[in-house]
């Protein structure tokens, strides 16, 4: 909105620049998040304490005192992002509109699940939650087809290799969006554990979206140039600011959890950004922490079923295995952040090695 007012109406040239609006977007989202955070925490605490708190079964002893930490803090992230994006993004950019739709729809699905878990001690059934996610992802994938988006699939390292998915782009997009959304959701099991790596992935894609949207830089790095993705980096700077603001409260000991409202929406946005920038495989690398957390669950369940009850890990997802080995929660979280940072550096290095 301010882009239109300050640049197109008042002709203040500097506001046309993506970098400047990106920084304003980050700091606006951060300060909105940090300033309204305490109010959101109190609001959620009041609602949750009236409902009696919620904790999952098979939970390590260390989690029993978390029963009254309010969840659904993802609404703070979503609100902060929307305020900043509406102020600093170009709202005539189709990618920005698709990302706003993704953030809100997956946020609603997650918030509904959180609300039911708090109010009635059990959330949406896995089937209905999965159906809602698939449906939302099919709509998002259809938006891509409607705007005539390039349906080629590109690969890291092999700059000449690409496959045109055609209509198969829709199931591919659904897989990426729903898969990333649930991977972040599974990971969100320790204070700061999901938001840390999610912000590292976000910052990595701020860089990727800027480069892919810049004709000369994309050509220099042999990346497919997707016009308009520069505006996606302004959106992601808002997500980064909002996520850092949320981490202000979610760091150990957490004053609130993001809930499915946060994990599903952030994951879906990151999956959609990977599709927009045509860097789905790079997402799997920089988001390797989310991949490993999900794989640990798949391996655990398959082994459990195959051996009639034996486990590979003490408990899955893998962060609970480290917890049950006696490693303190903050140490597990920071070590996983370190892994995320190293994976982000590897992913960016792979862009150069093409
Ligand atoms: C998401 N939810 C947390 C919080 C957060 C199939 C199975 C692997 C599913 C999996 C599962 O249900 N995952 C759902 C994980 C929960 O966090 C809430 O959920 C939101 C995210 N969706 O925002 O609202 C608990 O996590 C803790 N937490 C923090 N700090 C945070 O910042 O401490 C969350 C955020 C919160 C809080 O205690 O209540 C969760 O873990 O449930 N199931 C599991 O993850 C369970 N694993 C399991 O059962 N493994 C089995 C089989 C099925 C693989 C096995 O290994 O044999 C673990 N869940 C818990 N403890 N709580 C087991 C250990």
């Amino acid at each position: 909105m301010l882009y239109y007012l300050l640049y197109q109406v008042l002709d203040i040239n500097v506001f046309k620049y993506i970098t400047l609006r990106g920084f304003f977007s980050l700091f606006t989202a951060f300060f909105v998040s940090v300033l309204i955070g305490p109010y959101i925490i109190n609001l959620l605490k009041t609602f949750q304490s009236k409902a009696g708190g919620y904790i999952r079964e098979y939970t390590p002893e260390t989690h029993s005192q978390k029963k009254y930490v309010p969840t659904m803090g993802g609404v703070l992230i979503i609100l902060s992002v929307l305020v900043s994006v509406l102020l600093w993004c170009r709202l005539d950019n189709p990618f920005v509109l698709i990302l706003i739709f993704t953030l809100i729809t997956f946020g609603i699905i997650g918030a509904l699940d959180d609300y039911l878990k708090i109010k009635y001690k059990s959330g949406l059934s896995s089937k209905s939650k999965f159906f809602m996610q698939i449906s939302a992802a099919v709509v998002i994938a259809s938006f891509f087809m409607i705007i005539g988006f390039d349906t080629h699939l590109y690969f890291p390292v092999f700059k000449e290799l690409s496959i045109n998915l055609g209509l198969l782009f829709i199931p591919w997009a659904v897989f990426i969006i729903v898969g990333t959304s649930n991977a972040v959701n599974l990971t969100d099991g320790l204070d700061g554990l999901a938001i840390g790596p999610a912000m590292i992935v976000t910052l990595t894609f701020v860089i990727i979206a800027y480069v892919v949207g810049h004709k000369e830089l994309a050509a220099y790095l042999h990346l497919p140039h997707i016009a308009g993705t520069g505006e996606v980096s302004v959106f992601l700077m808002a997500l980064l600011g909002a996520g850092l603001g949320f981490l202000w409260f979610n760091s150990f000991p957490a004053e609130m959890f993001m809930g499915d409202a946060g994990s599903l929406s952030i994951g879906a946005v990151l999956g959609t950004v990977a599709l927009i920038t045509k860097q789905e495989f790079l997402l799997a690398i920089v988001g390797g922490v989310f991949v490993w957390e999900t794989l640990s669950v798949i391996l655990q369940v398959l082994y459990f079923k195959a051996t009639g009850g034996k486990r590979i890990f003490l408990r899955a997802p893998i962060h609970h295995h480290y917890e049950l080995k006696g490693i303190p929660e903050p140490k597990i979280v920071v070590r996983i952040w370190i892994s995320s940072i190293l994976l982000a550096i590897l992913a960016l290095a792979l862009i150069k090695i093409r």
Side-chain angles (χ1 to χ4, degrees), residues 56 58 63 66 71 185 188 191 250 259-260 300 311 316:
R56 170 173 298 284
Y58 291 127
H63 285 242
K66 293 175 181 253
T71 189
N185 180 37
D188 191 29
D191 297 353
N250 183 242
D260 287 36
Q300 179 89 323
R311 287 183 163 99

Side-chain angles (χ1 to χ4, degrees), residues 178-190:
V178 175
T180 314
S181 181
N182 285 288
V184 176
N185 180 37
L186 275 175
T187 305
D188 191 29
L190 298 179

Side-chain angles (χ1 to χ4, degrees), residues 328-349:
E329 181 171 350
K331 192 176 274 295
I332 299 169
V333 172
V334 173
R335 284 178 175 173
I336 288 178
W337 289 357
I338 293 169
S339 312
S340 254
I341 292 168
L342 295 175
L343 286 167
I345 293 166
L346 172 65
L348 290 172

Side-chain angles (χ1 to χ4, degrees), residues 185-255:
N185 180 37
L186 275 175
T187 305
D188 191 29
L190 298 179
D191 297 353
L193 183 66
I195 195 67
M199 292 306 104
I200 292 161
V201 174
T202 299
L203 179 56
T204 306
F205 273 89
V206 165
I207 299 165
I208 291 169
Y210 182 81
V211 167
V212 166
H214 192 290
K215 208 173 178 62
E216 290 71 30
L217 284 176
Y220 168 69
L221 292 166
H222 305 291
L223 291 172
H225 170 54
I226 314 283
T229 51
E231 209 59 32
V232 170
S233 60
V234 180
F235 182 100
L236 290 176
M237 285 292 262
L239 179 59
L240 183 57
L244 293 175
F246 172 75
L247 179 58
W248 193 269
F249 305 102
N250 183 242
S251 48
F252 183 87
E255 300 168 71

Side-chain angles (χ1 to χ4, degrees), residues 62-334:
T62 48
H63 285 242
S64 51
Q65 77 277 10
K66 293 175 181 253
K67 188 166 186 175
Y68 291 102
V69 175
T71 189
M72 217 194 296
V75 294
L76 173 67
I77 298 171
I78 293 167
L79 269 176
S80 309
V81 171
L82 289 179
V83 166
S84 192
V85 163
L86 293 174
L87 282 176
W88 299 110
C89 275
R90 285 190 59 166
L91 301 178
D92 60 348
N93 179 296
F95 297 133
V96 169
L97 299 178
I98 287 173
L99 288 170
I100 291 172
F101 178 83
T102 304
L103 183 76
I104 292 174
T105 43
F106 276 79
I108 290 171
I109 295 169
L112 178 60
D113 188 47
D114 292 330
Y115 173 81
L116 294 173
K117 274 180 194 162
I118 295 167
K119 193 88 177 157
Y120 305 107
K121 303 294 172 276
S122 71
L124 292 165
S125 69
S126 305
K127 277 198 182 119
S128 51
K129 194 168 159 184
F130 199 56
F131 174 76
M132 291 165 88
Q133 291 173 32
I134 297 272
S135 308
V138 167
V139 172
I140 295 160
S142 308
F143 286 152
F144 279 100
M145 304 307 276
I146 291 166
I147 65 171
F149 190 69
D150 167 21
T151 55
H152 279 80
L153 179 61
Y154 294 87
F155 300 83
V157 182
F158 305 102
K159 59 177 176 264
E160 303 307 331
L161 179 61
S162 73
I163 301 169
N164 187 357
L165 296 175
L167 278 179
L168 285 178
F169 176 80
I170 292 182
W172 171 250
V174 170
F175 167 70
I176 293 293
I177 295 169
V178 175
T180 314
S181 181
N182 285 288
V184 176
N185 180 37
L186 275 175
T187 305
D188 191 29
L190 298 179
D191 297 353
L193 183 66
I195 195 67
M199 292 306 104
I200 292 161
V201 174
T202 299
L203 179 56
T204 306
F205 273 89
V206 165
I207 299 165
I208 291 169
Y210 182 81
V211 167
V212 166
H214 192 290
K215 208 173 178 62
E216 290 71 30
L217 284 176
Y220 168 69
L221 292 166
H222 305 291
L223 291 172
H225 170 54
I226 314 283
T229 51
E231 209 59 32
V232 170
S233 60
V234 180
F235 182 100
L236 290 176
M237 285 292 262
L239 179 59
L240 183 57
L244 293 175
F246 172 75
L247 179 58
W248 193 269
F249 305 102
N250 183 242
S251 48
F252 183 87
E255 300 168 71
M256 72 169 130
F257 301 150
M258 68 168 73
D260 287 36
S263 56
L264 294 183
S265 53
I266 291 172
V269 163
L270 294 178
T272 305
V273 166
L275 291 161
I276 292 170
T277 55
K278 312 215 76 59
Q279 297 300 330
E280 299 91 326
F281 294 103
L282 228 55
L283 174 65
I285 296 167
V286 61
V289 159
F290 300 121
V291 173
W292 177 228
E293 287 266 340
T294 306
L295 270 182
S296 68
V297 171
I298 294 168
L299 293 172
Q300 179 89 323
V301 171
L302 290 178
Y303 189 77
F304 192 87
K305 286 179 177 167
T307 61
K310 288 184 184 158
R311 287 183 163 99
I312 305 173
F313 310 106
L314 294 176
R315 193 63 93 248
I318 189 76
H319 56 263
H320 289 304
H321 171 79
Y322 299 131
E323 249 193 327
L324 293 175
K325 284 182 77 74
I327 303 173
E329 181 171 350
K331 192 176 274 295
I332 299 169
V333 172
V334 173

